[in-house]
Amino acid sequence: MNNALHDLRPLAPPQRHQLAFQCFDTLAEGEAFDLVNDHEPRGLLMQFHAYRPQSFNWQVVQANPGYWRIRITRAAPGGATAPAPQGGGCGCGGGGGCS
């Protein structure tokens, strides 16, 4: 299991989603990484559903004001358990559903 932790908070908004997808694309089935963000990454979840459908699991590890920790795992075929996106973009300004 990949236990990498990526803190997105210091990055410019467009770079946050790009890094998340780069990290995900290096994972083998069953591997995961955690990311930390300063807000709920709803827009990123929407993008994962759009660009990597049925291929990931999404777990909220910690949700506090200013600190969200999400674990993203590459799922086995047919084993994805990601929640459906709710609401609009995440507000980070990163594009792709964010506003």
Side-chain angles (χ1 to χ4, degrees), residues 58-74:
W58 181 280
Q59 177 188 359
V60 177
V61 176
Q62 191 172 352
N64 295 319
Y67 187 93
W68 284 74
R69 185 169 178 160
I70 307 294
R71 180 163 298 134
I72 302 173
T73 306
R74 180 174 289 278

Side-chain angles (χ1 to χ4, degrees), residues 17 43-44 46-47 51 94-98:
H17 293 202
L44 181 60
M46 292 170 58
Q47 285 185 327
Y51 302 129
C98 297

